[in-house]
Amino acid sequence: MPYPNDRESDRPWVMRTYAGHSSAAASNALYRRNLAKGQTGLSVAFDLPTQTGYDPDDELAKGEVGKVGVPVSHIGDMRALFDGIPLADANTSMTINAPAMWLLALYVAVAEEQAVEAGADPAQVRAKLAGTTQNDIVKEYLSRGTYAFPPDPSLRLATDLVTWTVTHVPRWNPINICPYHLQEAGATPVQEIAYSLTTAIAVLDTVRDSGQVPPEQFEKVVARISFFVNAGLRFVEEMCKLRAFVALWDEITRERYGVKDPKARRFRYGVQVNSLGLTEAQPENNVQRIVLEMLAVTLSKDARARSVQLPAWNEALGLPRPWDQQWALRMQQVLAFETDLLEYEDIFEGSKVIEAKVDELMVGAREEIQRVQDMGGSVAAVESGYMKGQLVSSLAERRRLIESGEYVVVGVNKFDTTEPSPLQAEGAKAIETVDPAVEQAAIDAIERWRAQRDNAAVEQALTDLRDAAKTDANLMEVTVACAKAGVTTGEWAGALRGVFGEYRAPTGVGAASASGEAASELADVRALVKATGEELGTRLRMLVGKPGLDGHSNGAEQVAVRARDAGFEVIYQGIRLTPSQIVAAAVQEGVHVVGLSVLSGSHLEVVPAVVDGLRAAGADDIPVIVGGIIPKEDEPELYARGVAAVFTPKDYALTEIMQKIVELIRKQHGLG
């Protein structure tokens, strides 16, 4: 039944736009514009150096500064990012994981400064801060790749942040567990539910066992756990997935943790709908995809998202413009304010079809949760490579369905004839681009920052951080002290790397089950690979590389799996390699081709660096190919710099790509 009057209608969800690029000042101007357009929450995108704990002048940061988000290197950047935005009244989501503690410390420090300037009590302002740090480190080893430390100390940092906020920032959501990125890495709905809930169990068990929260306060911890969920185009199944999440979370928090308050057992989630399903081909089709995916998380009142951020139609092409983000915001506003959606109770309650699908998902998820728990929990399942292997296999199967045409993607593998798009008319600036000068400006700025601060205070703060990290003390207070002293992001993370060590996560490629296109097509390529190897007197070898800090490795992993299935010997060492490391591996392994995957916009910097490095090493006979989100206008420059082939998301048939690679090798070696 409809609500009897407007006063009893459900309130609209928090409306966000994921935004940030170039610099703190440029991003601040973007936030102000978005808030003026009716956005009700901020969602901060940080650049890859910030996400992985590096300063702009680090070798690994080259080409990555300000590209996929805003660089925040110290408290001065955080001040500029929120200049004129009272943090006591804001609701801020920060997509930050490995350095979540550090970025929240900077945020809290700036909020306290604002309080002092306004003549308010800093403690009272801190207690009013509302928002979310993503802080889900487990999924970083499985999908996004922006981890900084090994799993156990990473879980320790997440735990310290959770326990500290419960007392000091009680309205803050200290962790946002992310099935979103699991879906982008290939997870089925059952895997999304199971792997994210086992992560939640790992966090809650660690918090409980740490002794930092009295048993009578533990319910408050459970109440602050939130989730960041993905919604794909199978929107009926996706809506059922969310109803299953609600029921299972209620079950786990009640039975495992003894939470009595139903409000504390709520499945609280925000959502960004699926960016993975957005297409480079006929990108205007992405508009209806985004709307349908939004319905999956809003139609069902009993499982409705409490915050929503939508991608822009052109995110498969590059960085969206402010107008594109405005369009995505208006989609939410039309649904919330022009339709009658919020006037009704749950419209699916009692549906036999929906209930049956929810039950099916719950049964499968319970089984997979138990399987992971029997392995020792989610951290053990990460370290063994089990979960990563499952995701790579699931994504390989999804690709097989697309490549065979069993799963239709409109404009890609069916209905691919098209009229020229006025949204991409010649001369139109279809995407936002970041000025290359941004990186040098950031490097100059951080040098000035280091020169003007009290370096003795910085060294003392870092010493205190290292000393505390060697104990089991909560690291939040010493991290806040680092923020106030002027420590940089790279210095904070570097100090902890010195204590915790480095880590390279399993790639999942070796454990992935073979899956591909029609057997005859793959057999033909495999025969050509074998024949070419025999003619050259050695097995064909391909190095698949991820230069820079871009951790989105799904495409690279799928290329590695298909190359292996086609008969190549594949060298794939995972993410976060410098161009010089890739060159050294290529020369040492004697490979016949180097394939680079770049999705972060740094292709014009890191790809030529590999080509030039091979030339300097006397290995310029090794062709370099590149795949990823490469704007068409950048392709000529890549070819001019020596790249042999460029592949983008429109080139979805991996076996065809393998065929072209073998032909490229044959041409390079003068084989007919």
Side-chain angles (χ1 to χ4, degrees):
M1 292 293 290
Y3 289 96
N5 58 58
D6 287 344
R7 283 178 299 169
E8 296 186 25
S9 295
D10 197 15
R11 71 185 188 278
W13 50 89
V14 176
M15 298 182 189
R16 306 187 195 273
T17 303
Y18 185 54
H21 67 83
S22 299
S23 67
S27 299
N28 174 262
L30 180 61
Y31 297 160
R32 291 187 188 219
R33 285 201 302 271
N34 287 345
L35 291 169
K37 291 171 183 174
Q39 186 174 297
T40 53
L42 294 171
S43 181
V44 181
F46 295 99
D47 73 351
L48 287 174
T50 305
Q51 290 185 49
T52 49
Y54 294 99
D55 288 333
D57 56 350
D58 192 280
E59 181 186 6
L60 272 168
K62 184 173 177 55
E64 308 281 15
V65 177
K67 287 285 176 63
V68 300
V70 56
V72 175
S73 301
H74 46 71
I75 192 171
D77 287 341
M78 190 64 85
R79 288 176 190 134
L81 188 63
F82 292 103
D83 181 41
I85 301 174
L87 297 187
D89 302 323
N91 189 309
T92 305
S93 171
M94 292 194 281
T95 300
I96 197 73
N97 295 282
M101 174 182 287
W102 172 244
L103 271 297
L104 182 60
L106 291 173
Y107 189 87
V108 167
V110 170
E112 291 181 351
E113 287 181 350
Q114 289 184 351
V116 171
E117 290 170 5
D121 181 353
Q124 290 182 353
V125 168
R126 191 161 64 179
K128 291 173 65 177
L129 296 179
T132 303
T133 31
Q134 196 168 98
N135 201 23
D136 175 2
I137 198 61
V138 170
K139 66 95 174 49
E140 296 301 322
Y141 305 112
L142 300 176
S143 52
R144 286 188 72 246
T146 60
Y147 54 83
F149 317 109
D152 280 336
S154 294
L155 190 59
R156 181 248 182 110
L157 289 173
T159 300
D160 286 355
L161 179 54
V162 170
T163 56
W164 186 83
T165 54
V166 167
T167 301
H168 297 281
V169 196
R171 294 183 62 202
W172 195 265
N173 298 323
I175 190 167
N176 204 213
I177 293 165
C178 296
Y180 175 91
H181 303 96
L182 300 182
Q183 185 179 113
E184 294 216 325
T188 64
V190 163
Q191 290 169 334
E192 278 184 73
I193 297 168
Y195 297 162
S196 52
L197 291 182
T198 55
T199 296
I201 289 170
V203 171
L204 287 175
D205 282 1
T206 306
V207 169
R208 180 193 60 196
D209 298 344
S210 74
Q212 294 189 59
V213 178
E216 65 273 14
Q217 297 290 316
F218 190 70
E219 195 166 273
K220 291 183 178 179
V221 175
V222 175
R224 300 317 301 175
I225 301 294
S226 63
F227 293 79
F228 184 57
V229 179
N230 206 336
L233 270 167
R234 293 173 57 82
F235 75 98
V236 175
E237 181 177 59
E238 295 290 274
M239 187 266 295
C240 292
K241 175 188 77 180
L242 291 161
R243 295 175 79 90
F245 257 128
V246 168
L248 283 171
W249 184 240
D250 184 81
E251 182 180 290
I252 289 168
T253 53
R254 184 180 64 253
E255 296 179 3
R256 187 180 183 92
Y257 300 112
V259 177
K260 295 182 173 57
D261 183 357
K263 289 184 178 179
R265 298 198 306 265
R266 283 179 181 163
F267 182 75
R268 301 163 56 250
Y269 78 97
V271 65
Q272 172 163 317
V273 303
N274 190 0
S275 295
L276 178 68
L278 304 186
T279 63
E280 177 191 18
Q282 298 182 26
E284 63 275 7
N285 293 333
N286 295 329
V287 174
Q288 50 265 34
R289 291 186 178 108
I290 292 165
V291 170
L292 288 169
E293 291 166 344
M294 176 173 57
L295 292 177
V297 300
T298 54
L299 281 179
S300 173
K301 182 179 185 295
D302 288 351
R304 181 171 293 148
R306 293 320 311 170
S307 72
V308 176
Q309 56 191 50
L310 301 182
W313 68 279
N314 55 351
E315 285 196 16
L317 306 177
L319 191 67
R321 301 159 298 185
W323 183 86
D324 305 314
Q325 294 185 329
Q326 174 183 298
W327 194 357
L329 176 62
R330 296 293 184 248
M331 293 177 197
Q332 295 196 60
Q333 291 168 331
V334 168
L335 179 63
F337 299 112
E338 292 191 27
T339 77
D340 59 351
L341 175 67
L342 299 180
E343 297 173 16
Y344 291 83
E345 288 287 358
D346 193 278
I347 60 178
F348 297 106
E349 187 176 353
S351 166
K352 293 181 180 179
V353 173
I354 298 298
E355 289 176 357
K357 184 63 179 178
V358 171
D359 288 344
E360 174 193 322
L361 293 172
M362 290 177 66
V363 168
R366 284 195 192 98
E367 291 174 356
E368 189 64 11
I369 289 170
Q370 191 58 52
R371 190 172 294 116
V372 171
Q373 292 302 105
D374 289 345
M375 293 178 183
S378 63
V379 170
V382 164
E383 293 175 329
S384 70
Y386 168 75
M387 286 201 289
K388 183 64 174 179
Q390 293 296 106
L391 296 180
V392 174
S393 296
S394 294
L395 188 55
E397 173 62 13
R398 181 193 292 172
R399 290 199 66 96
R400 185 194 69 79
L401 293 172
I402 293 172
E403 292 170 1
S404 68
E406 295 173 67
Y407 182 85
V408 173
V409 181
V410 174
V412 175
N413 64 357
K414 197 166 186 178
F415 313 116
D416 56 356
T417 59
T418 183
E419 298 296 325
S421 168
L423 293 173
Q424 297 176 277
E426 186 174 351
K429 187 183 177 187
I431 58 171
E432 187 82 26
T433 56
V434 175
D435 189 333
V438 160
E439 184 164 309
Q440 188 58 51
I443 292 171
D444 294 343
I446 201 165
E447 289 175 354
R448 290 194 300 272
W449 177 264
R450 293 189 189 116
Q452 71 185 20
R453 66 187 181 177
D454 182 345
N455 283 296
V458 166
E459 286 306 316
Q460 185 59 56
L462 288 171
T463 297
D464 293 344
L465 175 66
R466 292 187 196 96
D467 291 345
K470 295 172 185 174
T471 71
D472 59 0
N474 189 298
L475 297 181
M476 193 65 205
E477 289 292 351
V478 287
T479 294
V480 172
C482 283
K484 292 178 177 179
V487 167
T488 69
T489 297
E491 290 167 342
W492 177 86
L496 293 182
R497 283 189 179 97
V499 177
F500 297 151
E502 301 274 358
Y503 184 73
R504 187 166 291 279
T507 66
V509 170
S513 59
S515 180
E517 293 177 74
S520 61
E521 295 176 7
L522 190 56
D524 291 343
V525 176
R526 191 180 293 120
L528 185 59
V529 169
K530 182 179 180 183
T532 303
E534 289 172 350
E535 291 178 68
L536 293 174
T538 182
R539 186 179 177 190
L540 291 192
R541 290 182 293 279
M542 177 191 298
L543 186 148
V544 177
K546 289 286 297 176
L549 296 174
D550 171 24
H552 285 86
S553 58
N554 303 333
E557 288 152 5
Q558 292 305 307
V559 168
V561 169
R562 187 61 55 85
R564 179 199 66 190
D565 294 346
F568 282 92
E569 179 182 339
V570 178
I571 295 93
Y572 176 58
Q573 300 171 322
I575 63 170
R576 212 175 299 171
L577 299 169
T578 64
S580 60
Q581 288 173 321
I582 292 172
V583 169
V587 172
Q588 182 178 343
E589 299 287 349
V591 301
H592 298 92
V593 63
V594 171
L596 304 177
S597 170
V598 184
L599 290 88
S600 64
S602 64
H603 48 274
L604 292 180
E605 291 86 5
V606 295
V607 174
V610 173
V611 176
D612 295 344
L614 288 171
R615 186 178 296 119
D620 51 347
D621 59 331
I622 302 175
V624 175
I625 61 176
V626 59
I629 299 178
I630 313 292
K632 194 167 185 63
E633 56 268 27
D634 288 350
E635 291 184 22
E637 182 171 348
L638 289 172
Y639 284 122
R641 295 293 299 273
V643 170
V646 176
F647 299 101
T648 66
K650 69 178 183 299
D651 304 301
Y652 67 91
L654 284 178
T655 299
E656 288 183 17
I657 292 175
M658 294 302 125
Q659 172 88 22
K660 292 176 181 176
I661 292 173
V662 183
E663 292 170 352
L664 182 65
I665 293 171
R666 293 184 66 83
K667 180 180 178 182
Q668 186 75 16
H669 290 271
L671 303 177

